Amino acid sequence: MSRPIETVRFKAITDQKIGTGTFIEGLPGHGLVAAIAVNQITQQLGLSHHGSLHSDLFPPVTSFTKGQIQDPVRVYAGETPPVLTLQSDVVLPPTSYRALGSCLRKEIMTKFERAVFLVGAPARSESEVGDIQGVATTAALKDKLTAANIPLATSPDLLVASQARLRTISINLGSRPLYSSSKRIPSTQIQSLHNH
């Protein structure tokens, strides 16, 4: 007997309609820098809780804020600019990535012009801690990074997976191996990525 295929499900809690815009993902990873950065972006842009992701593949935990229980993997949305962010209070296991990606593509990112993935990357030196660099899948997105004053990555080992159906930017945030050292990413840079 075959095992059932594990899935990730999106449950909206608002009927907010998001126009064509930008999806930003910053899941916990190296140094937690991406998770901290996407939280700052969510707060700077005044995004509201739009829904949550659920799966048996995720760790069986819950989180809370200000004394209130909340789902650990949440989606936030805003209309000016049209932005959706994905946040998680827990590190998601690699076994969930395929189902998570499928859910994101089919249920959340269908109307978005681009996706921005925030990635914590080990800094090669103390002077690189907090630096940001961008990688793009198209020449047009590369131009948007330059217009937003985000330096382009020059190291050949910083890669982003290219998918023809999804125009993607990866913003690599230099961090120390053991704790986060993120610089604040101004919301004007994210707005600039959307507007250019």
Side-chain angles (χ1 to χ4, degrees):
M1 180 165 29
S2 64
R3 289 177 34 198
I5 297 174
E6 298 286 356
T7 61
V8 174
R9 300 162 310 282
F10 173 66
K11 180 181 178 184
I13 61 170
T14 71
D15 58 1
Q16 187 173 5
K17 303 297 182 196
I18 309 300
T20 302
T22 303
F23 171 79
I24 304 172
E25 179 263 292
L27 296 176
H30 181 84
L32 299 177
V33 66
I36 292 169
V38 81
N39 183 58
Q40 288 178 345
I41 291 167
T42 299
Q43 291 183 19
Q44 287 175 23
L45 296 180
L47 305 182
S48 57
H49 187 196
H50 176 58
S52 301
L53 297 175
H54 303 273
S55 177
D56 290 338
L57 295 168
F58 296 163
V61 299
T62 192
S63 62
F64 65 92
T65 184
K66 299 178 183 174
Q68 175 79 39
I69 295 291
Q70 64 183 5
D71 294 320
V73 185
R74 299 175 306 283
V75 175
Y76 291 83
E79 297 176 6
T80 309
V83 171
L84 221 66
T85 61
L86 173 64
Q87 296 185 55
S88 177
D89 295 332
V90 295
V91 176
L92 302 179
T95 53
S96 70
Y97 294 170
R98 185 177 302 272
L100 175 62
S102 178
C103 176
L104 292 175
R105 282 190 309 275
K106 293 175 183 174
E107 298 187 47
I108 297 175
M109 295 167 34
T110 56
K111 296 182 179 179
F112 284 81
E113 290 181 342
R114 72 191 62 85
V116 177
F117 294 93
L118 304 178
V119 180
R124 295 173 189 252
S125 68
E126 191 66 24
S127 65
E128 291 182 359
V129 170
D131 285 355
I132 63 172
Q133 297 180 333
V135 179
T137 58
T138 68
L141 289 178
K142 181 179 169 184
D143 291 343
K144 287 182 182 290
L145 286 170
T146 302
N149 296 319
I150 296 174
L152 300 175
T154 56
S155 177
D157 62 344
L158 296 175
L159 302 174
V160 61
S162 174
Q163 296 186 13
R165 293 174 294 168
L166 183 62
R167 298 175 349 134
T168 305
I169 292 172
S170 174
I171 298 180
N172 304 296
L173 308 153
S175 64
R176 293 184 180 95
L178 299 178
Y179 58 94
S180 171
S181 304
S182 68
K183 285 183 181 172
R184 187 174 185 184
I185 300 176
S187 60
T188 53
Q189 283 186 309
I190 296 301
Q191 287 174 331
S192 182
L193 283 175
H194 175 72
N195 295 330
H196 287 308

